[in-house]
Amino acid sequence: MESSIIQSTINAIEKPVIFLDLDYRIQAVNSAYQDLYSRKVIIGESRCHEISHNSVKPCDQHGEDCPMKTCLQSKKATSVVHIHHTEQGKQFCDILMRPVKDSNGDVIGFLEVLERINFASAEFAKDKMIGESEPFKHMLKQINRAAKSDIAVLLQGETGTGKELVAKALHEGSNRSQKPFVIIECTGLNETLFESELFGHEKGAFTGATHTKKGLIEIANGGTVFFDEIGDVPLNMQVKLLRLLETRSFRSVGGLKQKKADFRFLSASHKNLKSLMEQGLFREDLYYRIAGFPIHLPPLRERKVDIKSLVAYFLNHSNFKHKSYSAKALDTLQEYGFPGNIRELRNIIEQSALLSDEDTICLDDLPSYVKENAPLHVQHDSLDNHVEPLVTLEEAEKAYLLAAIKQHEGSVEELAEALGLGIRTLYRKLKKHELRY
């Protein structure tokens, strides 16, 4: 395929796009991609991982799936969520990789289309979702795809997993983002209150109705309605909710006029709605109406990799930003099961930060029920100021270099600069300890 045709094709795409050869080299790039990254793309020389990750190694050599390799093996389009080093700092990107084939069906290159995920943060921005584990990235990809559609989304997950935050992300990522986002708490609503809250009421419709009141559905017109804990909607009210979803029409309590509303429908439940259906407590037709696109929110125990980032985030956005956790306290938090998930983690952080008399929050500052789950090597020494066994300087140097290699994502030259070493000195030390970068 001629390079001019490829360049013309990607110039017509608004999202950041590059064309790659089989050796990761960028052969064509549009202006949206160039504007996204601080590092300049040199056509025919720059490799994709150098631009997006500031790394001399491909993605699969530093902990992320390489969509290019997957695409080459399957010869089909594939997608992943990665963290890229952009002009605005580290950002989550939804990457779509498509193989480009010649007339014989052989793959000659790849079209990579990027989309920034603005509702999540890799650098602890306020009111954003935080994490980097694989279950978290999978959830981000589902949210990003569902946000662009008007399909009904059902969020399923345990209490405290952040269902309201996900619902807001779905709204803000949609073309309804400038319209209202209305939350309807379903727990504890009886039939009269449910209808009045949803549909509004006319003056004199019932005792205490001293004035006409708009319902939440009318207020949400043009925007998004989020039914939190929809599994708690009484069975006799589920019929009226189903009718609302099917017709987008309703009548206020005490009113005669039929009203119309245009809204996106989102819902969430920590209960197993299919189990409720089997028990006759949730209508099957309503379930299939609300579960057009189910999204599972992983519990925190499946996201242990994210706990340190979440701890740093909550501390940084609190009155205790000057404090930090000791290594043993963090290890203990990572071993704890968190039945209350992220909400419980936040409470534990606030409690232990308050109890800590020092700037370092230690194991003894954690609640007793958390310490009971501490790893054995921590339980035997609950004080964080114990003396570690001595090691030789050679062993310490090797361990330090290993940690630096794992942590650093840039080139070997950048690693040498970060360590305050000359490039030849670093190579000599790596050779001495039989380490590779």
Side-chain angles (χ1 to χ4, degrees), residues 180-201:
F181 174 71
V182 175
I183 302 172
I184 297 172
E185 302 282 357
C186 299
T187 304
L189 288 179
N190 58 39
E191 184 173 346
T192 303
L193 192 58
F194 186 88
E195 283 196 86
S196 177
E197 285 294 305
L198 255 64
F199 308 137
H201 61 254

mmCIF file of all heavy atoms in Angstrom, residues 180-201:
data_model
loop_
_atom_site.group_PDB
_atom_site.id
_atom_site.type_symbol
_atom_site.label_atom_id
_atom_site.label_comp_id
_atom_site.label_asym_id
_atom_site.label_seq_id
_atom_site.Cartn_x
_atom_site.Cartn_y
_atom_site.Cartn_z
ATOM 1 N N PRO A 180 -28.731 16.940 32.674
ATOM 2 C CA PRO A 180 -28.709 16.489 34.075
ATOM 3 C C PRO A 180 -28.317 15.024 34.252
ATOM 4 O O PRO A 180 -28.584 14.170 33.398
ATOM 5 C CB PRO A 180 -30.164 16.710 34.527
ATOM 6 C CG PRO A 180 -30.725 17.711 33.584
ATOM 7 C CD PRO A 180 -30.048 17.467 32.274
ATOM 8 N N PHE A 181 -27.654 14.765 35.383
ATOM 9 C CA PHE A 181 -27.384 13.405 35.850
ATOM 10 C C PHE A 181 -28.145 13.247 37.156
ATOM 11 O O PHE A 181 -27.815 13.881 38.161
ATOM 12 C CB PHE A 181 -25.886 13.182 36.055
ATOM 13 C CG PHE A 181 -25.534 11.851 36.678
ATOM 14 C CD1 PHE A 181 -25.680 10.686 35.956
ATOM 15 C CD2 PHE A 181 -25.067 11.788 37.981
ATOM 16 C CE1 PHE A 181 -25.357 9.461 36.522
ATOM 17 C CE2 PHE A 181 -24.741 10.562 38.557
ATOM 18 C CZ PHE A 181 -24.886 9.400 37.823
ATOM 19 N N VAL A 182 -29.191 12.420 37.146
ATOM 20 C CA VAL A 182 -30.098 12.311 38.293
ATOM 21 C C VAL A 182 -29.979 10.927 38.916
ATOM 22 O O VAL A 182 -30.115 9.906 38.234
ATOM 23 C CB VAL A 182 -31.557 12.569 37.861
ATOM 24 C CG1 VAL A 182 -32.504 12.341 39.024
ATOM 25 C CG2 VAL A 182 -31.700 14.001 37.339
ATOM 26 N N ILE A 183 -29.720 10.902 40.222
ATOM 27 C CA ILE A 183 -29.598 9.640 40.964
ATOM 28 C C ILE A 183 -30.900 9.363 41.703
ATOM 29 O O ILE A 183 -31.423 10.241 42.404
ATOM 30 C CB ILE A 183 -28.438 9.712 41.967
ATOM 31 C CG1 ILE A 183 -27.124 10.012 41.239
ATOM 32 C CG2 ILE A 183 -28.321 8.406 42.748
ATOM 33 C CD1 ILE A 183 -25.956 10.279 42.177
ATOM 34 N N ILE A 184 -31.405 8.150 41.561
ATOM 35 C CA ILE A 184 -32.616 7.723 42.266
ATOM 36 C C ILE A 184 -32.247 6.574 43.198
ATOM 37 O O ILE A 184 -31.863 5.495 42.740
ATOM 38 C CB ILE A 184 -33.725 7.295 41.278
ATOM 39 C CG1 ILE A 184 -34.144 8.502 40.423
ATOM 40 C CG2 ILE A 184 -34.929 6.719 42.025
ATOM 41 C CD1 ILE A 184 -35.094 8.160 39.295
ATOM 42 N N GLU A 185 -32.303 6.834 44.501
ATOM 43 C CA GLU A 185 -31.992 5.808 45.498
ATOM 44 C C GLU A 185 -33.230 4.937 45.697
ATOM 45 O O GLU A 185 -34.254 5.401 46.207
ATOM 46 C CB GLU A 185 -31.603 6.466 46.820
ATOM 47 C CG GLU A 185 -30.421 7.407 46.732
ATOM 48 C CD GLU A 185 -29.091 6.688 46.673
ATOM 49 O OE1 GLU A 185 -29.086 5.445 46.767
ATOM 50 O OE2 GLU A 185 -28.064 7.380 46.509
ATOM 51 N N CYS A 186 -33.143 3.691 45.294
ATOM 52 C CA CYS A 186 -34.318 2.808 45.319
ATOM 53 C C CYS A 186 -34.574 2.193 46.693
ATOM 54 O O CYS A 186 -35.698 1.769 46.983
ATOM 55 C CB CYS A 186 -34.149 1.694 44.288
ATOM 56 S SG CYS A 186 -33.987 2.304 42.595
ATOM 57 N N THR A 187 -33.549 2.115 47.529
ATOM 58 C CA THR A 187 -33.701 1.477 48.836
ATOM 59 C C THR A 187 -34.637 2.299 49.723
ATOM 60 O O THR A 187 -34.455 3.511 49.883
ATOM 61 C CB THR A 187 -32.338 1.331 49.529
ATOM 62 O OG1 THR A 187 -31.458 0.609 48.668
ATOM 63 C CG2 THR A 187 -32.468 0.592 50.854
ATOM 64 N N GLY A 188 -35.621 1.635 50.302
ATOM 65 C CA GLY A 188 -36.514 2.281 51.266
ATOM 66 C C GLY A 188 -37.661 3.064 50.677
ATOM 67 O O GLY A 188 -38.417 3.694 51.414
ATOM 68 N N LEU A 189 -37.845 3.045 49.348
ATOM 69 C CA LEU A 189 -38.957 3.769 48.733
ATOM 70 C C LEU A 189 -40.221 2.906 48.736
ATOM 71 O O LEU A 189 -40.235 1.820 48.156
ATOM 72 C CB LEU A 189 -38.609 4.155 47.284
ATOM 73 C CG LEU A 189 -37.580 5.276 47.077
ATOM 74 C CD1 LEU A 189 -37.340 5.494 45.596
ATOM 75 C CD2 LEU A 189 -38.043 6.574 47.722
ATOM 76 N N ASN A 190 -41.276 3.400 49.385
ATOM 77 C CA ASN A 190 -42.551 2.674 49.299
ATOM 78 C C ASN A 190 -43.274 3.096 48.022
ATOM 79 O O ASN A 190 -42.814 3.966 47.289
ATOM 80 C CB ASN A 190 -43.419 2.932 50.545
ATOM 81 C CG ASN A 190 -43.699 4.417 50.744
ATOM 82 O OD1 ASN A 190 -43.924 5.159 49.780
ATOM 83 N ND2 ASN A 190 -43.686 4.851 52.002
ATOM 84 N N GLU A 191 -44.435 2.498 47.753
ATOM 85 C CA GLU A 191 -45.120 2.723 46.481
ATOM 86 C C GLU A 191 -45.491 4.188 46.268
ATOM 87 O O GLU A 191 -45.231 4.754 45.204
ATOM 88 C CB GLU A 191 -46.377 1.849 46.398
ATOM 89 C CG GLU A 191 -47.085 1.963 45.063
ATOM 90 C CD GLU A 191 -48.229 0.970 44.915
ATOM 91 O OE1 GLU A 191 -48.306 0.027 45.722
ATOM 92 O OE2 GLU A 191 -49.032 1.141 43.983
ATOM 93 N N THR A 192 -46.069 4.829 47.284
ATOM 94 C CA THR A 192 -46.505 6.220 47.139
ATOM 95 C C THR A 192 -45.317 7.144 46.920
ATOM 96 O O THR A 192 -45.318 7.995 46.024
ATOM 97 C CB THR A 192 -47.283 6.667 48.394
ATOM 98 O OG1 THR A 192 -48.387 5.787 48.592
ATOM 99 C CG2 THR A 192 -47.785 8.092 48.231
ATOM 100 N N LEU A 193 -44.280 6.952 47.732
ATOM 101 C CA LEU A 193 -43.089 7.786 47.632
ATOM 102 C C LEU A 193 -42.373 7.552 46.311
ATOM 103 O O LEU A 193 -41.859 8.485 45.686
ATOM 104 C CB LEU A 193 -42.159 7.494 48.812
ATOM 105 C CG LEU A 193 -40.989 8.454 49.036
ATOM 106 C CD1 LEU A 193 -41.495 9.866 49.228
ATOM 107 C CD2 LEU A 193 -40.169 8.017 50.239
ATOM 108 N N PHE A 194 -42.347 6.298 45.851
ATOM 109 C CA PHE A 194 -41.677 5.939 44.600
ATOM 110 C C PHE A 194 -42.303 6.703 43.427
ATOM 111 O O PHE A 194 -41.608 7.333 42.637
ATOM 112 C CB PHE A 194 -41.788 4.425 44.389
ATOM 113 C CG PHE A 194 -41.015 3.911 43.211
ATOM 114 C CD1 PHE A 194 -39.680 3.544 43.342
ATOM 115 C CD2 PHE A 194 -41.621 3.787 41.975
ATOM 116 C CE1 PHE A 194 -38.969 3.069 42.257
ATOM 117 C CE2 PHE A 194 -40.911 3.313 40.882
ATOM 118 C CZ PHE A 194 -39.582 2.949 41.023
ATOM 119 N N GLU A 195 -43.622 6.649 43.323
ATOM 120 C CA GLU A 195 -44.310 7.322 42.216
ATOM 121 C C GLU A 195 -44.156 8.836 42.303
ATOM 122 O O GLU A 195 -43.930 9.514 41.295
ATOM 123 C CB GLU A 195 -45.794 6.957 42.217
ATOM 124 C CG GLU A 195 -46.081 5.582 41.679
ATOM 125 C CD GLU A 195 -47.548 5.409 41.329
ATOM 126 O OE1 GLU A 195 -47.915 5.769 40.188
ATOM 127 O OE2 GLU A 195 -48.315 4.950 42.194
ATOM 128 N N SER A 196 -44.277 9.376 43.517
ATOM 129 C CA SER A 196 -44.165 10.814 43.693
ATOM 130 C C SER A 196 -42.764 11.311 43.342
ATOM 131 O O SER A 196 -42.597 12.342 42.704
ATOM 132 C CB SER A 196 -44.509 11.189 45.132
ATOM 133 O OG SER A 196 -44.337 12.563 45.348
ATOM 134 N N GLU A 197 -41.731 10.560 43.774
ATOM 135 C CA GLU A 197 -40.347 10.952 43.500
ATOM 136 C C GLU A 197 -40.047 10.866 42.016
ATOM 137 O O GLU A 197 -39.404 11.748 41.442
ATOM 138 C CB GLU A 197 -39.385 10.050 44.287
ATOM 139 C CG GLU A 197 -39.298 10.357 45.761
ATOM 140 C CD GLU A 197 -38.676 11.721 46.030
ATOM 141 O OE1 GLU A 197 -37.558 11.979 45.557
ATOM 142 O OE2 GLU A 197 -39.321 12.535 46.711
ATOM 143 N N LEU A 198 -40.502 9.779 41.390
ATOM 144 C CA LEU A 198 -40.196 9.568 39.970
ATOM 145 C C LEU A 198 -41.011 10.479 39.065
ATOM 146 O O LEU A 198 -40.454 11.118 38.151
ATOM 147 C CB LEU A 198 -40.471 8.108 39.587
ATOM 148 C CG LEU A 198 -39.242 7.221 39.407
ATOM 149 C CD1 LEU A 198 -38.505 7.091 40.725
ATOM 150 C CD2 LEU A 198 -39.641 5.851 38.884
ATOM 151 N N PHE A 199 -42.301 10.524 39.277
ATOM 152 C CA PHE A 199 -43.205 11.148 38.313
ATOM 153 C C PHE A 199 -43.714 12.531 38.749
ATOM 154 O O PHE A 199 -44.366 13.227 37.965
ATOM 155 C CB PHE A 199 -44.404 10.235 38.044
ATOM 156 C CG PHE A 199 -43.996 8.837 37.660
ATOM 157 C CD1 PHE A 199 -44.657 7.734 38.184
ATOM 158 C CD2 PHE A 199 -42.950 8.616 36.774
ATOM 159 C CE1 PHE A 199 -44.291 6.444 37.830
ATOM 160 C CE2 PHE A 199 -42.582 7.335 36.409
ATOM 161 C CZ PHE A 199 -43.239 6.245 36.944
ATOM 162 N N GLY A 200 -43.425 12.907 40.015
ATOM 163 C CA GLY A 200 -43.927 14.178 40.505
ATOM 164 C C GLY A 200 -45.390 14.085 40.925
ATOM 165 O O GLY A 200 -46.014 13.026 40.806
ATOM 166 N N HIS A 201 -45.939 15.172 41.427
ATOM 167 C CA HIS A 201 -47.349 15.161 41.831
ATOM 168 C C HIS A 201 -47.972 16.546 41.620
ATOM 169 O O HIS A 201 -47.273 17.563 41.548
ATOM 170 C CB HIS A 201 -47.503 14.725 43.296
ATOM 171 C CG HIS A 201 -46.819 15.632 44.276
ATOM 172 N ND1 HIS A 201 -45.642 15.285 44.926
ATOM 173 C CD2 HIS A 201 -47.139 16.877 44.740
ATOM 174 C CE1 HIS A 201 -45.291 16.262 45.722
ATOM 175 N NE2 HIS A 201 -46.178 17.242 45.630
#
